[in-house]
Amino acid sequence: MPYNSRRPFSPVSFLPRCLHSPLFFSSQWVYVLELEACHLDQNLDTTTDYIDECKTDGLKLLRKAVGSRYIKIIPSTHRIQISDPNQIMAETPPSADNPTLFSPFKMGKFNLSHRVVLAPMTRCRALNSIPNQALVEYYRQRATAGGFLITEGTMISPTSAGFPHVPGIFNQEQVEAWKKVVDAVHEKGAVIFCQLWHVGRASHQVYQPNGVAPISSTSKPISKKWRILMPDGTHAQYPNPRPLATHEIPEVVEDYRLAAVNAIEAGFDGIEIHGAHGYLLDQFMKDGINNRTDEYGGSLANRCKFLLKVVKSIATAIGADKVGVRISPAIDHLDAMDSDPRSLGLEVIEGLNKLQVELGSKLTYIHVTQPRYTAYGQTEAGSHGSEEEVAELMKIWRRAFMGTFVCSGGYNRELGIEAVAKGDADLVAYGRLFISNPDLVLRLKVNAPLNRYVRASFYTHDPVVGYTDYPSLEKGNGNLERLSRM
Ligand SMILES: Cc1cc2nc3c(=O)[nH]c(=O)nc-3n(C[C@H](O)[C@H](O)[C@H](O)COP(=O)(O)O)c2cc1C
């Protein structure tokens, strides 16, 4: 197979990218593979140094991906020959890739330069629900060229808040304010998605317009085991929610859709639907909460219907390729227990896979939280099994989803590196470590010490303290000692 390309070649930056594309895009994969082989061919002809470089950086990866028997270097010319791309596609699983946490990844149409993601985190700094200069600075600090950030949970409507000073994306003032955050992140070359959030029953009358009861799938309140953070910093019991009437659900779907449209107007590259952690959509999915008898209760399919309607409505409005979905089937945060997390996860994933086929376009990703995050082993029913069992569930869901898989929840440097290297995830979202390490990507890459996070300032409102004053490596570690003592 002769290759005559005369385009410049960088074995490190080009070749790994071609090997990340899953079988789903098999024809493109072959194309890119051929293209990269062109570069190899051209440059292998030039100097011995280059041949060595190609051999180490390029051929090694190519061999791993397609198998040595398909690749041959023609002696005397040093040309590379790939025997049969069709056979390669048939026989080479995508896991033959050799990615690392720090290697590039093509997430749909976004070319990411590494796989360390900022997890969505509520920080309560958007006074009166309007993103301000503090948010601009916070997200700017955490942006890297080719990095991927997910914003904190953002209110889709006036009824959706359950924390003080959470930003919204349902009116024009909020949209205009978000533009400054998005611009700052884009200036640094990062991709940013807005997380769309409705807390459902995880709210209180103080956060509701006219002091009404918060909405949910049920009239059961969150148990006394959990306490809600009030606007004055105290904690209170969660109140009784009002179950949504069947005819009201399409109205909430519409709130999600409008919020997504607003997010795109604000310049976001996409949105993430928060279907996790015991909030509204999860309150419908989990059989430990949802006790409805209408078409949104009972069977797995019925319980997942609300989420899937939201996904479809948003994907139709802004494009599936701008939509990520977060779920946490095995997490019991805010009493969100399910008797069969495995099947629940698979039901959602199969629904999303079908939707991708129906829409003729892939979603950007699925983001799954694993319960290492919530004090593992403290579930009341103890029904979630061992950490190994949950890790196995993550693998099952990862294999089932036809697209990019983002994992999060208790990942440190080693676990993140391992998750990507083993093919258990494409991207790893970091939460708490990113709070205290604005330059987390660099620190993980060079294996630098990490600042400790200060839990006490997670949800306070100071625009600087515990928010944008964590030191980066360049600024020196003067603050490290102070922070670690707090
Ligand atoms: C302060 C704080 C706020 C959070 N807020 C959100 C949120 O708004 N939306 C969300 O999906 N997850 C939220 N999470 C969960 C994180 O996205 C992440 O899954 C969790 O912190 C586990 O990852 P980690 O072990 O890397 O911290 C929050 C976590 C923390 C610590």
Side-chain angles (χ1 to χ4, degrees):
M1 195 181 291
Y3 296 108
N4 300 314
S5 167
R6 286 280 168 264
R7 293 169 63 168
F9 169 60
S10 157
V12 182
S13 63
F14 278 95
L15 200 56
R17 215 178 300 152
C18 80
L19 305 177
H20 296 146
S21 310
L23 280 171
F24 199 79
F25 286 135
S26 57
S27 55
Q28 284 174 27
W29 195 89
V30 172
Y31 169 75
V32 184
L33 188 64
E34 284 179 354
L35 187 70
E36 301 309 327
C38 295
H39 297 306
L40 277 175
D41 175 54
Q42 177 199 338
N43 288 289
L44 279 169
D45 249 350
T46 53
T47 66
T48 315
D49 281 357
Y50 223 102
I51 292 168
D52 285 345
E53 198 182 329
C54 290
K55 271 184 188 157
T56 33
D57 292 324
L59 277 177
K60 215 166 74 186
L61 285 165
L62 198 55
R63 280 218 164 95
K64 267 202 169 141
V66 302
S68 323
R69 67 186 182 283
Y70 295 114
I71 299 175
K72 148 163 117 178
I73 299 178
I74 305 168
S76 76
T77 66
H78 299 297
R79 289 200 171 179
I80 187 170
Q81 188 170 31
I82 297 180
S83 58
D84 180 355
N86 290 327
Q87 208 173 351
I88 290 166
M89 288 316 300
E91 294 185 20
T92 308
S95 61
D97 190 351
N98 192 22
T100 80
L101 188 59
F102 311 106
S103 59
F105 180 71
K106 188 151 173 53
M107 179 180 72
K109 60 185 177 181
F110 305 105
N111 290 315
L112 305 182
S113 62
H114 59 80
R115 289 126 182 280
V116 178
V117 176
L118 172 67
M121 278 180 297
T122 297
R123 303 305 313 279
C124 302
R125 263 66 176 194
L127 303 184
N128 303 315
S129 302
I130 310 292
N132 52 33
Q133 200 50 37
L135 273 78
V136 172
E137 182 57 17
Y138 172 80
Y139 287 104
R140 192 209 322 264
Q141 285 180 352
R142 282 150 189 82
T144 48
F148 178 40
L149 315 184
I150 309 168
T151 70
E152 60 213 276
T154 301
M155 296 162 64
I156 61 157
S157 66
T159 66
S160 59
F163 278 81
H165 302 303
V166 169
I169 187 88
F170 57 85
N171 68 34
Q172 200 56 38
E173 191 182 0
Q174 294 157 352
V175 170
E176 294 306 318
W178 271 119
K179 283 181 184 171
K180 298 190 184 110
V181 175
V182 173
D183 287 349
V185 168
H186 283 166
E187 258 165 41
K188 287 186 77 176
V191 172
I192 181 163
F193 274 35
C194 180
Q195 192 191 49
L196 302 186
W197 194 26
H198 196 305
V199 300
R201 68 175 183 166
S203 184
H204 190 279
Q205 285 87 339
V206 290
Y207 294 117
Q208 295 298 313
N210 306 319
V212 297
I215 58 171
S216 183
S217 61
T218 179
S219 59
K220 285 183 295 182
I222 295 171
S223 70
K224 289 181 184 157
K225 177 178 153 193
W226 308 92
R227 312 275 289 166
I228 184 167
L229 176 65
M230 300 295 274
D232 63 2
T234 61
H235 290 82
Q237 198 181 318
Y238 283 99
N240 291 331
R242 178 179 73 80
L244 276 170
T246 310
H247 73 268
E248 289 178 300
I249 291 177
E251 292 165 22
V252 184
V253 174
E254 180 61 5
D255 287 340
Y256 275 102
R257 190 188 71 82
L258 288 172
V261 170
N262 284 344
I264 299 304
E265 191 193 327
F268 281 106
D269 300 292
I271 60 91
E272 177 177 287
I273 297 163
H274 194 343
H277 305 167
Y279 296 109
L280 182 65
L281 296 168
D282 208 22
Q283 290 160 26
F284 276 74
M285 284 187 275
K286 300 278 173 71
D287 63 6
I289 301 175
N290 183 336
N291 54 0
R292 301 175 74 90
T293 52
D294 66 355
E295 60 178 289
Y296 293 95
S299 68
L300 260 180
N302 281 1
R303 284 186 273 127
C304 296
K305 198 183 280 183
F306 191 2
L307 171 74
L308 293 173
K309 280 192 175 193
V310 169
V311 181
K312 184 172 178 178
S313 169
I314 292 179
T316 307
I318 66 169
D321 59 349
K322 299 188 191 78
V323 179
V325 180
R326 186 172 206 189
I327 57 169
S328 60
I331 285 206
D332 61 359
H333 188 236
L334 302 174
D335 299 336
M337 300 281 292
D338 195 88
S339 57
D340 186 359
R342 180 183 189 276
S343 302
L344 174 60
L346 286 174
E347 181 73 24
V348 174
I349 287 168
E350 277 157 25
L352 297 178
N353 285 342
K354 273 191 204 145
L355 195 60
Q356 297 190 126
V357 174
E358 188 186 326
L359 297 170
S361 171
K362 291 181 88 178
L363 298 161
T364 320
Y365 61 85
I366 191 168
H367 178 180
V368 185
T369 326
Q370 82 120 306
R372 211 185 281 126
Y373 158 54
T374 54
Y376 197 85
Q378 288 182 5
T379 62
E380 271 173 38
S383 62
H384 290 174
S386 68
E387 187 159 354
E388 288 71 38
E389 280 171 302
V390 176
E392 196 47 44
L393 282 183
M394 293 289 281
K395 286 180 190 164
I396 290 169
W397 295 325
R398 193 276 197 272
R399 281 196 294 269
F401 182 62
M402 304 291 288
T404 296
F405 192 89
V406 185
C407 68
S408 63
Y411 286 84
N412 57 18
R413 183 174 188 272
E414 288 66 37
L415 289 169
I417 287 173
E418 185 185 295
V420 174
K422 283 188 169 169
D424 293 341
D426 297 306
L427 305 170
V428 182
Y430 288 87
R432 291 162 290 181
L433 294 181
F434 234 136
I435 286 182
S436 52
N437 296 279
D439 54 351
L440 182 67
V441 181
L442 175 66
R443 285 179 193 252
L444 293 181
K445 199 164 183 181
V446 301
N447 202 6
L450 299 177
N451 303 325
R452 286 173 54 183
Y453 52 79
V454 181
R455 197 177 287 275
S457 53
F458 278 177
Y459 301 116
T460 47
H461 315 312
D462 192 292
V464 176
V465 178
Y467 193 50
T468 55
D469 65 346
Y470 286 102
S472 59
L473 283 176
E474 301 104 73
K475 286 188 189 144
N477 288 339
N479 264 340
L480 273 176
E481 209 185 311
R482 178 182 67 80
L483 288 166
S484 60
R485 276 191 267 110
M486 279 174 80

